[in-house]
Amino acid sequence: QVQLVQSGGGLVQPGESLRLSCVTYGFIFSRYDMGWYRQAPGKERELVAYIDNIGGEPTYADSVKGRFTISRDNAENAVSLQMNSLKLEDTAVYYCNAVVGIRTAWVRPWFSAWGQGTQVTVSS
């Protein structure tokens, strides 16, 4: 049974940093490309970053490029998202998932189970 357990969110002020973590269970983590998504209130879930199965090809949405860094630890079955210089518009629930299609124009989530997510609130 696939489980995706996100943590590390919180309430921060603009300009501050957070590090999110996603520990995974139930699949062979090292075989899957991984991504971080977020969903703000009233908006659709969007992909903000992804990384290939061996930690290469990190790719970012334009809105977070230069501020966020995705990384993974295959020994720990975990993927992280370092978020620096946070902005008000980064406020959302953040989720991880395996992704497919990173070498195409259509990167999409693999698993239907998303986990509970972790809330990031940026507020002054």
Side-chain angles (χ1 to χ4, degrees):
Q1 180 182 356
V2 171
Q3 292 186 59
L4 306 167
V5 182
Q6 299 94 0
S7 63
L11 172 62
V12 297
Q13 295 186 341
E16 294 186 337
S17 299
L18 281 173
R19 185 175 180 85
L20 307 184
S21 179
C22 170
V23 180
T24 71
Y25 305 89
F27 63 101
I28 302 174
F29 181 77
S30 61
R31 293 185 180 178
Y32 288 80
D33 304 327
M34 294 296 297
W36 280 97
Y37 290 76
R38 67 185 181 187
Q39 187 167 21
K43 295 188 176 181
E44 292 188 356
R45 190 171 291 165
E46 64 169 336
L47 178 63
V48 297
Y50 56 86
I51 192 167
D52 76 11
N53 67 311
I54 59 171
E57 299 187 66
T59 305
Y60 303 92
D62 288 342
S63 59
V64 306
K65 198 173 296 183
R67 300 188 297 120
F68 290 12
T69 302
I70 187 171
S71 60
R72 65 188 293 157
D73 185 339
N74 284 354
E76 298 293 330
N77 295 334
V79 59
S80 298
L81 187 68
Q82 177 67 42
M83 306 187 298
N84 298 329
S85 303
L86 282 161
K87 302 177 179 181
L88 297 176
E89 53 265 40
D90 294 319
T91 295
V93 180
Y94 285 71
Y95 303 86
C96 68
N97 204 328
V99 294
V100 60
I102 67 168
R103 296 177 184 85
T104 73
W106 186 30
V107 183
R108 53 207 181 274
W110 185 273
F111 298 118
S112 58
W114 284 90
Q116 83 288 355
T118 187
Q119 175 71 50
V120 172
T121 303
V122 185
S123 176
S124 55

